[in-house]
Amino acid sequence: MATQTHFEPQPTNDLNSLDNYPLPLSPPLPLVSKDVELNRALTASSRSALFSLSHNDVIFEDDWLIAVNKPQGIYCESVLSAVPNLLADTNNEHGTKVPELHLANRLDRDTSGVMVITKSHKVAAKLVKAFTEHKVRKTYLALCVGPAPKWGQIIVRSGHGRSKHGAWRVYAASDVGRTLPGGSVVKDMQTSFQALSINGFGCLEAISESGKEGGGDLLIVEEKSPVDFDMKKDEILIRACPQSGRTHQIRLHCQYLGIPIRGDIKYEGVYEWKGKTYDGHELHAETLSFTHPVSGQSILLQAPLPLWANQALGLQR
């Protein structure tokens, strides 16, 4: 990747801001990301205003939950707003009212994949509690661009928090618990990664192993990433399993590993690649698995693969 210009903080005489706060280990936002992100947000707002769901988007539904496959470039709130119309025909047939709907999980605007909506306050509270207590297992797929990793599997443990300019950044694992500007604290962040393919070749059968826990060496982050961004660039499909639920967690850890997600310009991902300009990052919420909050049954929800994932696995050319 070519060298990028970043927002750098201005010098200050406030010793508290310089000496008493932990320093982020990931770089600030690239300067070019401001305009690109603004344009993406405007486009997403227009698309989201017209968004509707069809029954083909439904992954799972029962009396308490409905899970849908969220597309890239649509806000979560617009998906939630589209559910009543989706349910209206069925409810009218049975003479029942549209239930009170709540988002059980949120995805970034440009992240596609499994979204769960609950149909009552009680079920929502139970599922939120399961997410909070890390009893919901999540897997994601991401198409990254960077030097091919030397690991097949790896676990990354670091700190996570907002820098003094409000951007989410990676911090040292040893900084967890320390106070940040604004009064928040550095929180723990851990993600396991598995490399599925490199330049379209690799472990083709890995796509069927999404239910297996990740392994590999443990990387405890204590210093800035040593990755050389001027090395040869490859296309790497990875599966990520976040063991914590921090904002932009997978995107930040991919950036730290030197393999930012394609299209993720906020975290140094390529915006233009092989003659194509990307409208968003290529990150997909592949699966959610949890104990049903009412029936107690084990539930595994899996979203269909996006085109870029199929191509990276060599399943479609």
Side-chain angles (χ1 to χ4, degrees):
M1 181 188 301
T3 302
Q4 298 193 37
T5 303
H6 297 85
F7 295 117
E8 294 291 351
Q10 296 299 312
T12 174
N13 293 323
D14 184 353
L15 293 179
N16 285 331
S17 64
L18 291 174
D19 298 335
N20 296 338
Y21 294 126
L23 295 176
L25 300 182
S26 56
L29 304 183
L31 186 61
V32 68
S33 69
K34 289 185 69 176
D35 290 337
V36 172
E37 282 295 310
L38 176 59
N39 289 332
R40 287 177 176 178
L42 293 172
T43 300
S45 294
S46 298
R47 290 184 60 199
S48 296
L50 302 173
F51 180 70
S52 62
L53 287 165
S54 75
H55 288 285
N56 290 333
D57 298 314
V58 177
I59 298 169
F60 172 86
E61 184 181 4
D62 63 13
D63 291 340
W64 303 281
L65 306 169
I66 181 169
V68 299
N69 183 25
K70 173 192 171 298
Q72 184 190 57
I74 299 294
Y75 289 105
C76 287
E77 291 77 9
S78 297
V79 177
L80 179 64
S81 298
V83 173
N85 287 335
L86 180 68
L87 299 177
D89 291 340
T90 302
N91 289 335
N92 288 338
E93 288 176 4
H94 294 86
T96 58
K97 295 190 301 182
V98 174
E100 294 185 355
L101 304 171
H102 306 270
L103 289 173
N105 68 312
R106 289 181 173 272
L107 300 177
D108 294 337
R109 177 195 67 211
D110 292 332
T111 301
S112 57
V114 181
M115 266 190 61
V116 179
I117 295 98
T118 61
K119 297 181 179 181
S120 77
H121 289 299
K122 185 175 181 180
V123 174
K126 288 184 176 181
L127 206 49
V128 167
K129 186 172 185 287
F131 273 99
T132 302
E133 295 177 349
H134 307 299
K135 293 180 179 179
V136 179
R137 184 175 184 270
K138 300 170 281 186
T139 69
Y140 292 76
L141 297 178
L143 199 289
C144 305
V145 174
K150 297 178 180 179
W151 44 265
Q153 296 185 81
I154 195 170
I155 300 171
V156 182
R157 180 186 298 165
S158 74
H160 170 273
R162 285 188 186 274
S163 66
K164 68 178 182 178
H165 297 291
W168 295 108
R169 308 280 284 277
V170 172
Y171 287 82
S174 58
D175 284 332
V176 171
R178 293 183 64 190
T179 301
L180 291 165
S184 62
V185 299
V186 178
K187 296 183 179 180
D188 65 295
M189 178 166 68
Q190 182 166 306
T191 315
S192 63
F193 291 96
Q194 178 186 13
L196 301 182
S197 74
I198 298 174
N199 298 325
F201 301 93
C203 186
L204 202 60
E205 68 273 18
I207 197 62
S208 65
E209 298 181 353
S210 59
K212 296 184 178 181
E213 293 291 343
D217 294 334
L218 174 62
L219 171 61
I220 299 177
V221 173
E222 292 295 343
E223 57 187 21
K224 291 185 177 181
S225 174
V227 175
D228 181 359
F229 281 93
D230 291 326
M231 294 175 62
K232 175 181 176 292
K233 302 294 187 297
D234 297 288
E235 295 179 358
I236 308 107
L237 182 71
I238 59 99
R239 173 176 286 125
C241 181
Q243 275 110 47
S244 47
R246 309 304 176 204
T247 303
H248 299 175
Q249 172 168 334
I250 296 170
R251 297 165 65 185
L252 283 163
H253 273 168
C254 284
Q255 178 192 33
Y256 184 83
L257 289 171
I259 51 170
I261 298 171
R262 188 165 67 183
D264 193 3
I265 194 163
K266 180 176 285 189
Y267 297 117
E268 299 190 294
V270 292
Y271 172 53
E272 297 176 340
W273 178 249
K274 296 184 176 179
K276 180 179 177 180
T277 300
Y278 288 86
D279 296 326
H281 59 251
E282 294 184 324
L283 178 63
H284 182 67
E286 178 192 21
T287 70
L288 276 179
S289 55
F290 54 91
T291 300
H292 195 288
V294 177
S295 69
Q297 294 181 326
S298 295
I299 301 293
L300 172 62
L301 307 176
Q302 184 160 7
L305 295 181
L307 177 62
W308 53 262
N310 278 320
Q311 290 175 334
L313 284 163
L315 301 177
Q316 186 170 343
R317 295 294 183 185

